[in-house]
Amino acid sequence: DAGITQSPRYKITETGRQVTLMCHQTWSHSYMFWYRQDLGHGLRLIYYSAAADITDKGEVPDGYVVSRSKTENFPLTLESATRSQTSVYFCASSRELNYNEQFFGPGTRLTVL
Amino acid sequence: GQQVMQIPQYQHVQEGEDFTTYCNSSTTLSNIQWYKQRPGGHPVFLIQLVKSGEVKKQKRLTFQFGEAKKNSSLHITATQTTDVGTYFCAGIDAGGTSYGKLTFGQGTILTVHP
């Protein structure tokens, strides 16, 4: 039971480079989410998706792009990485949007130099 | 927009002492969830509260949802070293402005000294 996986687990990149973080879930959950976690800010929603080809912005979407061509995958792309995007990124999924727990992946620690 | 504030940000306790973290929302919530994140780990769902004034218990953990559905608390009785981690509350705005998405509090980091 793989659940929800993220890759890479650690990434170091340079300012201006494009970076893609991968998220894969095996539960066929409809909803998938991307959060970033920074000390003092908790978890902030970047983007979420209700189904394949349906995505919407969260609280902090600027500088990020998402796609969802298949239910099980939800990649997050930083088009031109900036130092302020250094963070820990968590992908999550849930069956429904309301009244459903979210299952989180192990996270990707991204450092932008 | 909706804001969820959590206090305290840090709490250091001796093993065996009790611990409480409080969560306050700027808007009325339809439900609130609590998550625990161990150091170096990912958030893990603990519980969900839906009804006004609801109280739920999980062994040494007691969760409460306020009568006005704008605040919540998590109380741990007789902490153990296994309780170490960050506790997050997360709520959904009952007014619908968040379209069902969770808004997380900043979390309370709990350390337990043996």
Side-chain angles (χ1 to χ4, degrees):
Chain A
D1 183 4
I4 183 165
T5 57
Q6 293 183 237
S7 62
R9 295 294 313 280
Y10 303 90
K11 178 73 176 179
I12 299 174
T13 190
E14 295 177 336
T15 301
R17 290 192 181 267
Q18 184 179 77
V19 177
T20 296
L21 309 183
M22 304 301 293
C23 178
H24 176 79
Q25 52 107 353
T26 60
W27 294 307
S28 299
H29 283 171
S30 296
Y31 288 87
M32 296 188 75
F33 310 84
W34 273 107
Y35 294 92
R36 60 176 291 173
Q37 182 174 32
D38 307 286
L39 193 62
H41 290 280
L43 292 155
R44 291 182 292 176
L45 182 65
I46 304 171
Y47 269 94
Y48 76 104
S49 170
D53 297 323
I54 301 175
T55 62
D56 203 356
K57 297 178 180 179
E59 181 185 354
V60 289
D62 293 344
Y64 303 95
V65 174
V66 293
S67 62
R68 196 165 176 207
S69 57
K70 292 184 178 181
T71 302
E72 60 266 31
N73 297 323
F74 191 38
L76 176 73
T77 297
L78 288 67
E79 293 187 299
S80 179
T82 65
R83 290 202 179 110
S84 65
Q85 292 178 309
T86 293
S87 186
V88 179
Y89 291 85
F90 287 102
C91 178
S93 72
S94 69
R95 266 195 303 272
E96 299 292 337
L97 193 56
N98 287 318
Y99 306 104
N100 263 245
E101 65 181 281
Q102 292 188 12
F103 296 86
F104 284 79
T108 294
R109 183 173 293 275
L110 175 68
T111 302
V112 183
L113 301 176
Chain B
Q2 180 193 18
Q3 290 188 329
V4 177
M5 306 298 291
Q6 208 173 333
I7 57 169
Q9 188 173 0
Y10 302 94
Q11 186 74 58
H12 310 281
V13 299
Q14 287 292 131
E15 189 172 21
E17 291 182 339
D18 291 356
F19 159 75
T20 304
T21 174
Y22 300 91
C23 184
N24 291 285
S25 171
S26 59
T27 61
T28 302
L29 302 170
S30 60
N31 60 311
I32 193 158
Q33 297 178 1
W34 285 90
Y35 290 78
K36 177 183 178 181
Q37 183 178 22
R38 295 184 186 275
H42 58 277
V44 175
F45 175 84
L46 292 176
I47 208 161
Q48 176 171 260
L49 304 170
V50 179
K51 299 176 183 176
S52 170
E54 189 170 15
V55 178
K56 286 188 175 181
K57 293 191 175 185
Q58 288 181 348
K59 298 181 179 178
R60 294 178 294 104
L61 279 61
T62 301
F63 303 84
Q64 292 188 329
F65 201 8
E67 293 290 342
K69 301 184 75 173
K70 294 185 73 173
N71 57 76
S72 181
S73 65
L74 158 60
H75 179 82
I76 301 178
T77 303
T79 55
Q80 300 174 358
T81 54
T82 53
D83 295 324
V84 163
T86 303
Y87 292 84
F88 292 100
C89 63
I92 295 177
D93 181 14
T97 58
S98 62
Y99 303 102
K101 301 184 296 294
L102 285 173
T103 298
F104 281 80
Q106 306 96 314
T108 295
I109 300 172
L110 173 65
T111 56
V112 180
H113 301 285

